[in-house]
mmCIF file of all heavy atoms in Angstrom:
data_model
loop_
_atom_site.group_PDB
_atom_site.id
_atom_site.type_symbol
_atom_site.label_atom_id
_atom_site.label_comp_id
_atom_site.label_asym_id
_atom_site.label_seq_id
_atom_site.Cartn_x
_atom_site.Cartn_y
_atom_site.Cartn_z
ATOM 1 N N GLY A 1 1.400 -12.753 3.060
ATOM 2 C CA GLY A 1 1.607 -11.599 2.202
ATOM 3 C C GLY A 1 0.471 -10.607 2.252
ATOM 4 O O GLY A 1 -0.127 -10.278 1.220
ATOM 5 N N TYR A 2 0.176 -10.132 3.448
ATOM 6 C CA TYR A 2 -0.956 -9.222 3.620
ATOM 7 C C TYR A 2 -0.506 -7.881 4.185
ATOM 8 O O TYR A 2 0.454 -7.793 4.950
ATOM 9 C CB TYR A 2 -1.987 -9.818 4.583
ATOM 10 C CG TYR A 2 -2.816 -10.943 3.989
ATOM 11 C CD1 TYR A 2 -2.312 -12.241 3.918
ATOM 12 C CD2 TYR A 2 -4.087 -10.707 3.495
ATOM 13 C CE1 TYR A 2 -3.058 -13.266 3.373
ATOM 14 C CE2 TYR A 2 -4.850 -11.729 2.949
ATOM 15 C CZ TYR A 2 -4.337 -13.004 2.888
ATOM 16 O OH TYR A 2 -5.072 -14.017 2.354
ATOM 17 N N TRP A 3 -1.237 -6.842 3.816
ATOM 18 C CA TRP A 3 -1.189 -5.545 4.492
ATOM 19 C C TRP A 3 -2.561 -5.386 5.136
ATOM 20 O O TRP A 3 -3.576 -5.366 4.442
ATOM 21 C CB TRP A 3 -0.913 -4.427 3.487
ATOM 22 C CG TRP A 3 -0.935 -3.043 4.091
ATOM 23 C CD1 TRP A 3 0.064 -2.409 4.758
ATOM 24 C CD2 TRP A 3 -2.045 -2.123 4.064
ATOM 25 N NE1 TRP A 3 -0.341 -1.156 5.150
ATOM 26 C CE2 TRP A 3 -1.632 -0.953 4.735
ATOM 27 C CE3 TRP A 3 -3.339 -2.168 3.543
ATOM 28 C CZ2 TRP A 3 -2.470 0.157 4.886
ATOM 29 C CZ3 TRP A 3 -4.170 -1.073 3.701
ATOM 30 C CH2 TRP A 3 -3.726 0.068 4.370
ATOM 31 N N ARG A 4 -2.550 -5.324 6.461
ATOM 32 C CA ARG A 4 -3.800 -5.427 7.224
ATOM 33 C C ARG A 4 -4.494 -6.723 6.799
ATOM 34 O O ARG A 4 -3.893 -7.787 6.902
ATOM 35 C CB ARG A 4 -4.669 -4.179 7.027
ATOM 36 C CG ARG A 4 -4.013 -2.916 7.585
ATOM 37 C CD ARG A 4 -4.847 -1.676 7.456
ATOM 38 N NE ARG A 4 -4.077 -0.515 7.892
ATOM 39 C CZ ARG A 4 -4.442 0.740 7.733
ATOM 40 N NH1 ARG A 4 -5.615 1.008 7.138
ATOM 41 N NH2 ARG A 4 -3.675 1.734 8.158
ATOM 42 N N LYS A 5 -5.699 -6.660 6.332
ATOM 43 C CA LYS A 5 -6.386 -7.894 5.912
ATOM 44 C C LYS A 5 -6.398 -8.037 4.394
ATOM 45 O O LYS A 5 -7.072 -8.915 3.849
ATOM 46 C CB LYS A 5 -7.818 -7.901 6.438
ATOM 47 C CG LYS A 5 -8.684 -6.757 5.912
ATOM 48 C CD LYS A 5 -10.091 -6.825 6.493
ATOM 49 C CE LYS A 5 -10.957 -5.675 5.965
ATOM 50 N NZ LYS A 5 -12.332 -5.737 6.517
ATOM 51 N N TRP A 6 -5.643 -7.182 3.736
ATOM 52 C CA TRP A 6 -5.693 -7.124 2.281
ATOM 53 C C TRP A 6 -4.433 -7.703 1.643
ATOM 54 O O TRP A 6 -3.331 -7.493 2.120
ATOM 55 C CB TRP A 6 -5.845 -5.670 1.817
ATOM 56 C CG TRP A 6 -6.972 -4.926 2.443
ATOM 57 C CD1 TRP A 6 -6.917 -4.104 3.533
ATOM 58 C CD2 TRP A 6 -8.332 -4.945 2.029
ATOM 59 N NE1 TRP A 6 -8.156 -3.605 3.817
ATOM 60 C CE2 TRP A 6 -9.058 -4.107 2.915
ATOM 61 C CE3 TRP A 6 -9.019 -5.589 0.997
ATOM 62 C CZ2 TRP A 6 -10.418 -3.886 2.795
ATOM 63 C CZ3 TRP A 6 -10.383 -5.373 0.872
ATOM 64 C CH2 TRP A 6 -11.065 -4.535 1.759
ATOM 65 N N GLN A 7 -4.619 -8.410 0.531
ATOM 66 C CA GLN A 7 -3.503 -8.758 -0.329
ATOM 67 C C GLN A 7 -3.286 -7.633 -1.325
ATOM 68 O O GLN A 7 -4.216 -6.895 -1.662
ATOM 69 C CB GLN A 7 -3.763 -10.071 -1.063
ATOM 70 C CG GLN A 7 -3.671 -11.306 -0.165
ATOM 71 C CD GLN A 7 -3.680 -12.582 -0.972
ATOM 72 O OE1 GLN A 7 -4.577 -12.809 -1.775
ATOM 73 N NE2 GLN A 7 -2.682 -13.420 -0.756
ATOM 74 N N ALA A 8 -2.040 -7.505 -1.779
ATOM 75 C CA ALA A 8 -1.720 -6.405 -2.700
ATOM 76 C C ALA A 8 -2.610 -6.414 -3.932
ATOM 77 O O ALA A 8 -3.017 -5.355 -4.430
ATOM 78 C CB ALA A 8 -0.252 -6.495 -3.103
ATOM 79 N N GLN A 9 -2.950 -7.615 -4.421
ATOM 80 C CA GLN A 9 -3.757 -7.708 -5.630
ATOM 81 C C GLN A 9 -5.133 -7.075 -5.459
ATOM 82 O O GLN A 9 -5.767 -6.657 -6.437
ATOM 83 C CB GLN A 9 -3.929 -9.172 -6.052
ATOM 84 C CG GLN A 9 -2.638 -9.849 -6.446
ATOM 85 C CD GLN A 9 -1.977 -10.579 -5.293
ATOM 86 O OE1 GLN A 9 -1.947 -10.062 -4.170
ATOM 87 N NE2 GLN A 9 -1.458 -11.760 -5.550
ATOM 88 N N ALA A 10 -5.607 -6.985 -4.212
ATOM 89 C CA ALA A 10 -6.916 -6.391 -3.963
ATOM 90 C C ALA A 10 -6.868 -4.870 -3.917
ATOM 91 O O ALA A 10 -7.881 -4.207 -4.151
ATOM 92 C CB ALA A 10 -7.483 -6.927 -2.646
ATOM 93 N N LEU A 11 -5.682 -4.307 -3.629
ATOM 94 C CA LEU A 11 -5.553 -2.865 -3.493
ATOM 95 C C LEU A 11 -4.912 -2.213 -4.715
ATOM 96 O O LEU A 11 -5.164 -1.035 -4.983
ATOM 97 C CB LEU A 11 -4.719 -2.531 -2.249
ATOM 98 C CG LEU A 11 -5.310 -2.961 -0.908
ATOM 99 C CD1 LEU A 11 -4.326 -2.692 0.221
ATOM 100 C CD2 LEU A 11 -6.635 -2.247 -0.635
ATOM 101 N N ALA A 12 -4.082 -2.961 -5.413
ATOM 102 C CA ALA A 12 -3.349 -2.407 -6.562
ATOM 103 C C ALA A 12 -4.166 -2.545 -7.832
ATOM 104 O O ALA A 12 -3.744 -3.181 -8.809
ATOM 105 C CB ALA A 12 -1.990 -3.085 -6.696
ATOM 106 N N THR A 13 -5.332 -1.936 -7.834
ATOM 107 C CA THR A 13 -6.215 -1.975 -8.997
ATOM 108 C C THR A 13 -6.880 -0.615 -9.190
ATOM 109 O O THR A 13 -7.094 0.116 -8.211
ATOM 110 C CB THR A 13 -7.331 -3.032 -8.849
ATOM 111 O OG1 THR A 13 -8.273 -2.589 -7.855
ATOM 112 C CG2 THR A 13 -6.771 -4.395 -8.458
ATOM 113 N N PRO A 14 -7.242 -0.267 -10.420
ATOM 114 C CA PRO A 14 -7.975 0.980 -10.647
ATOM 115 C C PRO A 14 -9.301 0.995 -9.900
ATOM 116 O O PRO A 14 -9.723 2.038 -9.385
ATOM 117 C CB PRO A 14 -8.187 1.007 -12.162
ATOM 118 C CG PRO A 14 -7.140 0.102 -12.724
ATOM 119 C CD PRO A 14 -6.934 -0.965 -11.686
ATOM 120 N N GLY A 15 -9.961 -0.170 -9.831
ATOM 121 C CA GLY A 15 -11.246 -0.235 -9.151
ATOM 122 C C GLY A 15 -11.139 0.052 -7.668
ATOM 123 O O GLY A 15 -11.986 0.756 -7.094
ATOM 124 N N ALA A 16 -10.093 -0.474 -7.031
ATOM 125 C CA ALA A 16 -9.893 -0.226 -5.600
ATOM 126 C C ALA A 16 -9.652 1.253 -5.346
ATOM 127 O O ALA A 16 -10.172 1.817 -4.368
ATOM 128 C CB ALA A 16 -8.727 -1.057 -5.084
ATOM 129 N N PHE A 17 -8.879 1.893 -6.226
ATOM 130 C CA PHE A 17 -8.591 3.311 -6.049
ATOM 131 C C PHE A 17 -9.843 4.156 -6.252
ATOM 132 O O PHE A 17 -10.082 5.126 -5.515
ATOM 133 C CB PHE A 17 -7.495 3.749 -7.023
ATOM 134 C CG PHE A 17 -6.989 5.140 -6.782
ATOM 135 C CD1 PHE A 17 -6.194 5.426 -5.682
ATOM 136 C CD2 PHE A 17 -7.295 6.167 -7.664
ATOM 137 C CE1 PHE A 17 -5.720 6.711 -5.449
ATOM 138 C CE2 PHE A 17 -6.825 7.459 -7.445
ATOM 139 C CZ PHE A 17 -6.039 7.733 -6.336
ATOM 140 N N ALA A 18 -10.652 3.788 -7.228
ATOM 141 C CA ALA A 18 -11.899 4.526 -7.473
ATOM 142 C C ALA A 18 -12.856 4.392 -6.301
ATOM 143 O O ALA A 18 -13.553 5.347 -5.925
ATOM 144 C CB ALA A 18 -12.553 4.030 -8.759
ATOM 145 N N GLN A 19 -12.898 3.198 -5.694
ATOM 146 C CA GLN A 19 -13.826 2.935 -4.603
ATOM 147 C C GLN A 19 -13.342 3.516 -3.275
ATOM 148 O O GLN A 19 -14.134 4.041 -2.488
ATOM 149 C CB GLN A 19 -14.049 1.431 -4.463
ATOM 150 C CG GLN A 19 -15.041 1.051 -3.378
ATOM 151 C CD GLN A 19 -15.275 -0.445 -3.314
ATOM 152 O OE1 GLN A 19 -14.733 -1.201 -4.116
ATOM 153 N NE2 GLN A 19 -16.086 -0.889 -2.372
ATOM 154 N N ASN A 20 -12.031 3.419 -3.015
ATOM 155 C CA ASN A 20 -11.508 3.851 -1.715
ATOM 156 C C ASN A 20 -10.086 4.397 -1.878
ATOM 157 O O ASN A 20 -9.111 3.738 -1.500
ATOM 158 C CB ASN A 20 -11.527 2.682 -0.719
ATOM 159 C CG ASN A 20 -11.362 3.128 0.722
ATOM 160 O OD1 ASN A 20 -10.838 4.216 0.977
ATOM 161 N ND2 ASN A 20 -11.759 2.285 1.660
ATOM 162 N N PRO A 21 -9.953 5.590 -2.424
ATOM 163 C CA PRO A 21 -8.596 6.146 -2.634
ATOM 164 C C PRO A 21 -7.834 6.344 -1.327
ATOM 165 O O PRO A 21 -6.601 6.263 -1.317
ATOM 166 C CB PRO A 21 -8.861 7.475 -3.344
ATOM 167 C CG PRO A 21 -10.269 7.824 -3.014
ATOM 168 C CD PRO A 21 -10.995 6.511 -2.893
ATOM 169 N N SER A 22 -8.533 6.596 -0.220
ATOM 170 C CA SER A 22 -7.861 6.760 1.065
ATOM 171 C C SER A 22 -7.140 5.478 1.465
ATOM 172 O O SER A 22 -5.972 5.508 1.870
ATOM 173 C CB SER A 22 -8.871 7.148 2.146
ATOM 174 O OG SER A 22 -8.266 7.135 3.425
ATOM 175 N N LEU A 23 -7.809 4.337 1.352
ATOM 176 C CA LEU A 23 -7.210 3.057 1.727
ATOM 177 C C LEU A 23 -6.011 2.733 0.843
ATOM 178 O O LEU A 23 -4.955 2.309 1.329
ATOM 179 C CB LEU A 23 -8.247 1.941 1.639
ATOM 180 C CG LEU A 23 -7.776 0.556 2.062
ATOM 181 C CD1 LEU A 23 -7.455 0.517 3.554
ATOM 182 C CD2 LEU A 23 -8.834 -0.506 1.712
ATOM 183 N N VAL A 24 -6.160 2.953 -0.461
ATOM 184 C CA VAL A 24 -5.068 2.653 -1.388
ATOM 185 C C VAL A 24 -3.870 3.571 -1.107
ATOM 186 O O VAL A 24 -2.722 3.109 -1.103
ATOM 187 C CB VAL A 24 -5.539 2.789 -2.849
ATOM 188 C CG1 VAL A 24 -4.361 2.650 -3.819
ATOM 189 C CG2 VAL A 24 -6.600 1.740 -3.158
ATOM 190 N N TRP A 25 -4.116 4.845 -0.830
ATOM 191 C CA TRP A 25 -3.005 5.736 -0.524
ATOM 192 C C TRP A 25 -2.351 5.388 0.809
ATOM 193 O O TRP A 25 -1.136 5.521 0.961
ATOM 194 C CB TRP A 25 -3.448 7.200 -0.528
ATOM 195 C CG TRP A 25 -3.114 7.893 -1.808
ATOM 196 C CD1 TRP A 25 -3.973 8.489 -2.688
ATOM 197 C CD2 TRP A 25 -1.804 8.063 -2.365
ATOM 198 N NE1 TRP A 25 -3.295 9.005 -3.770
ATOM 199 C CE2 TRP A 25 -1.943 8.768 -3.592
ATOM 200 C CE3 TRP A 25 -0.520 7.686 -1.977
ATOM 201 C CZ2 TRP A 25 -0.859 9.097 -4.401
ATOM 202 C CZ3 TRP A 25 0.564 8.012 -2.781
ATOM 203 C CH2 TRP A 25 0.391 8.705 -3.976
ATOM 204 N N GLU A 26 -3.116 4.892 1.783
ATOM 205 C CA GLU A 26 -2.491 4.412 3.028
ATOM 206 C C GLU A 26 -1.520 3.278 2.731
ATOM 207 O O GLU A 26 -0.408 3.233 3.274
ATOM 208 C CB GLU A 26 -3.563 3.933 4.008
ATOM 209 C CG GLU A 26 -4.162 4.989 4.889
ATOM 210 C CD GLU A 26 -4.784 4.371 6.127
ATOM 211 O OE1 GLU A 26 -4.075 4.217 7.143
ATOM 212 O OE2 GLU A 26 -5.980 4.019 6.056
ATOM 213 N N PHE A 27 -1.958 2.350 1.891
ATOM 214 C CA PHE A 27 -1.117 1.210 1.527
ATOM 215 C C PHE A 27 0.172 1.673 0.852
ATOM 216 O O PHE A 27 1.270 1.225 1.206
ATOM 217 C CB PHE A 27 -1.922 0.285 0.598
ATOM 218 C CG PHE A 27 -1.148 -0.863 0.013
ATOM 219 C CD1 PHE A 27 -0.496 -1.771 0.828
ATOM 220 C CD2 PHE A 27 -1.090 -1.050 -1.360
ATOM 221 C CE1 PHE A 27 0.216 -2.854 0.282
ATOM 222 C CE2 PHE A 27 -0.386 -2.112 -1.918
ATOM 223 C CZ PHE A 27 0.266 -3.006 -1.091
ATOM 224 N N TYR A 28 0.047 2.592 -0.112
ATOM 225 C CA TYR A 28 1.241 3.055 -0.819
ATOM 226 C C TYR A 28 2.086 3.982 0.038
ATOM 227 O O TYR A 28 3.317 4.002 -0.106
ATOM 228 C CB TYR A 28 0.855 3.698 -2.155
ATOM 229 C CG TYR A 28 0.606 2.645 -3.203
ATOM 230 C CD1 TYR A 28 -0.671 2.150 -3.432
ATOM 231 C CD2 TYR A 28 1.668 2.091 -3.922
ATOM 232 C CE1 TYR A 28 -0.893 1.149 -4.362
ATOM 233 C CE2 TYR A 28 1.456 1.090 -4.849
ATOM 234 C CZ TYR A 28 0.179 0.614 -5.063
ATOM 235 O OH TYR A 28 -0.024 -0.391 -5.974
ATOM 236 N N HIS A 29 1.479 4.729 0.943
ATOM 237 C CA HIS A 29 2.257 5.535 1.886
ATOM 238 C C HIS A 29 3.117 4.628 2.761
ATOM 239 O O HIS A 29 4.310 4.899 2.966
ATOM 240 C CB HIS A 29 1.313 6.367 2.754
ATOM 241 C CG HIS A 29 1.981 7.009 3.929
ATOM 242 N ND1 HIS A 29 2.933 7.996 3.805
ATOM 243 C CD2 HIS A 29 1.856 6.783 5.267
ATOM 244 C CE1 HIS A 29 3.346 8.370 5.013
ATOM 245 N NE2 HIS A 29 2.722 7.637 5.911
ATOM 246 N N TYR A 30 2.531 3.531 3.265
ATOM 247 C CA TYR A 30 3.297 2.572 4.064
ATOM 248 C C TYR A 30 4.486 2.048 3.260
ATOM 249 O O TYR A 30 5.625 2.007 3.752
ATOM 250 C CB TYR A 30 2.396 1.422 4.494
ATOM 251 C CG TYR A 30 3.148 0.201 4.980
ATOM 252 C CD1 TYR A 30 3.789 0.206 6.223
ATOM 253 C CD2 TYR A 30 3.229 -0.947 4.193
ATOM 254 C CE1 TYR A 30 4.490 -0.904 6.663
ATOM 255 C CE2 TYR A 30 3.930 -2.057 4.630
ATOM 256 C CZ TYR A 30 4.561 -2.040 5.866
ATOM 257 O OH TYR A 30 5.266 -3.138 6.294
ATOM 258 N N ARG A 31 4.254 1.672 2.017
ATOM 259 C CA ARG A 31 5.321 1.117 1.194
ATOM 260 C C ARG A 31 6.398 2.168 0.901
ATOM 261 O O ARG A 31 7.593 1.859 0.926
ATOM 262 C CB ARG A 31 4.737 0.564 -0.109
ATOM 263 C CG ARG A 31 3.768 -0.591 0.109
ATOM 264 C CD ARG A 31 3.215 -1.127 -1.190
ATOM 265 N NE ARG A 31 4.229 -1.835 -1.961
ATOM 266 C CZ ARG A 31 4.004 -2.343 -3.165
ATOM 267 N NH1 ARG A 31 2.811 -2.217 -3.741
ATOM 268 N NH2 ARG A 31 4.967 -2.975 -3.815
ATOM 269 N N ARG A 32 6.000 3.385 0.619
ATOM 270 C CA ARG A 32 6.964 4.455 0.372
ATOM 271 C C ARG A 32 7.866 4.670 1.594
ATOM 272 O O ARG A 32 9.084 4.807 1.459
ATOM 273 C CB ARG A 32 6.223 5.765 0.047
ATOM 274 C CG ARG A 32 5.654 5.850 -1.358
ATOM 275 C CD ARG A 32 4.697 7.038 -1.483
ATOM 276 N NE ARG A 32 5.352 8.306 -1.170
ATOM 277 C CZ ARG A 32 5.857 9.143 -2.085
ATOM 278 N NH1 ARG A 32 5.801 8.839 -3.373
ATOM 279 N NH2 ARG A 32 6.412 10.277 -1.714
ATOM 280 N N GLU A 33 7.251 4.684 2.767
ATOM 281 C CA GLU A 33 8.029 4.935 3.981
ATOM 282 C C GLU A 33 9.011 3.794 4.246
ATOM 283 O O GLU A 33 10.149 4.029 4.658
ATOM 284 C CB GLU A 33 7.081 5.110 5.171
ATOM 285 C CG GLU A 33 6.180 6.340 5.076
ATOM 286 C CD GLU A 33 6.968 7.638 5.079
ATOM 287 O OE1 GLU A 33 7.652 7.907 6.086
ATOM 288 O OE2 GLU A 33 6.902 8.378 4.066
ATOM 289 N N VAL A 34 8.587 2.556 4.025
ATOM 290 C CA VAL A 34 9.483 1.407 4.194
ATOM 291 C C VAL A 34 10.659 1.502 3.223
ATOM 292 O O VAL A 34 11.823 1.344 3.602
ATOM 293 C CB VAL A 34 8.723 0.079 3.983
ATOM 294 C CG1 VAL A 34 9.704 -1.098 3.880
ATOM 295 C CG2 VAL A 34 7.739 -0.169 5.126
ATOM 296 N N ILE A 35 10.365 1.772 1.955
ATOM 297 C CA ILE A 35 11.405 1.796 0.929
ATOM 298 C C ILE A 35 12.397 2.922 1.170
ATOM 299 O O ILE A 35 13.609 2.764 0.934
ATOM 300 C CB ILE A 35 10.764 1.910 -0.470
ATOM 301 C CG1 ILE A 35 9.988 0.621 -0.790
ATOM 302 C CG2 ILE A 35 11.812 2.163 -1.544
ATOM 303 C CD1 ILE A 35 9.082 0.729 -2.002
ATOM 304 N N GLN A 36 11.914 4.057 1.651
ATOM 305 C CA GLN A 36 12.821 5.182 1.899
ATOM 306 C C GLN A 36 13.807 4.905 3.024
ATOM 307 O O GLN A 36 14.837 5.565 3.112
ATOM 308 C CB GLN A 36 12.015 6.452 2.184
ATOM 309 C CG GLN A 36 11.379 7.045 0.940
ATOM 310 C CD GLN A 36 10.677 8.356 1.213
ATOM 311 O OE1 GLN A 36 10.076 8.553 2.258
ATOM 312 N NE2 GLN A 36 10.730 9.267 0.260
ATOM 313 N N ARG A 37 13.514 3.907 3.848
ATOM 314 C CA ARG A 37 14.406 3.595 4.975
ATOM 315 C C ARG A 37 15.444 2.528 4.640
ATOM 316 O O ARG A 37 16.331 2.264 5.452
ATOM 317 C CB ARG A 37 13.580 3.119 6.181
ATOM 318 C CG ARG A 37 12.718 4.189 6.815
ATOM 319 C CD ARG A 37 12.218 3.746 8.181
ATOM 320 N NE ARG A 37 11.395 2.551 8.129
ATOM 321 C CZ ARG A 37 10.061 2.568 8.048
ATOM 322 N NH1 ARG A 37 9.410 3.725 8.007
ATOM 323 N NH2 ARG A 37 9.378 1.444 8.006
ATOM 324 N N VAL A 38 15.332 1.875 3.497
ATOM 325 C CA VAL A 38 16.222 0.755 3.198
ATOM 326 C C VAL A 38 17.239 1.132 2.122
ATOM 327 O O VAL A 38 17.130 2.175 1.477
ATOM 328 C CB VAL A 38 15.429 -0.495 2.757
ATOM 329 C CG1 VAL A 38 14.393 -0.862 3.807
ATOM 330 C CG2 VAL A 38 14.766 -0.270 1.394
ATOM 331 N N GLU A 39 18.214 0.251 1.947
ATOM 332 C CA GLU A 39 19.281 0.460 0.970
ATOM 333 C C GLU A 39 19.352 -0.735 0.017
ATOM 334 O O GLU A 39 18.879 -1.827 0.347
ATOM 335 C CB GLU A 39 20.626 0.614 1.685
ATOM 336 C CG GLU A 39 20.723 1.838 2.586
ATOM 337 C CD GLU A 39 20.665 3.146 1.813
ATOM 338 O OE1 GLU A 39 21.079 3.142 0.630
ATOM 339 O OE2 GLU A 39 20.200 4.144 2.382
ATOM 340 N N PRO A 40 19.949 -0.537 -1.145
ATOM 341 C CA PRO A 40 20.189 -1.676 -2.040
ATOM 342 C C PRO A 40 21.000 -2.747 -1.320
ATOM 343 O O PRO A 40 21.887 -2.438 -0.519
ATOM 344 C CB PRO A 40 20.980 -1.066 -3.194
ATOM 345 C CG PRO A 40 20.645 0.383 -3.167
ATOM 346 C CD PRO A 40 20.446 0.732 -1.726
ATOM 347 N N ASN A 41 20.698 -3.994 -1.591
ATOM 348 C CA ASN A 41 21.412 -5.102 -0.958
ATOM 349 C C ASN A 41 22.501 -5.635 -1.898
ATOM 350 O O ASN A 41 22.657 -5.140 -3.021
ATOM 351 C CB ASN A 41 20.426 -6.193 -0.536
ATOM 352 C CG ASN A 41 19.734 -6.844 -1.715
ATOM 353 O OD1 ASN A 41 20.360 -7.406 -2.604
ATOM 354 N ND2 ASN A 41 18.404 -6.769 -1.742
#
């Protein structure tokens, strides 16, 4: 359950965003793009 070398719990925090907003936005950009391509099952 990793994105790159990170678990979601390490990136989905206020502290992670304050320290590295670029990395956190990359993670959420990836997730947004995946979700926009899929449909309800």
Side-chain angles (χ1 to χ4, degrees):
Y2 286 81
W3 176 82
R4 295 182 186 170
K5 62 181 180 180
W6 308 95
Q7 287 191 306
Q9 296 93 319
L11 297 175
T13 71
F17 188 72
Q19 182 178 357
N20 196 338
S22 172
L23 183 66
V24 173
W25 261 120
E26 274 201 90
F27 174 57
Y28 279 93
H29 168 66
Y30 164 73
R31 297 181 70 183
R32 283 168 59 97
E33 295 297 298
V34 169
I35 293 168
Q36 286 184 324
R37 292 194 299 266
V38 305
E39 296 294 332
N41 65 59

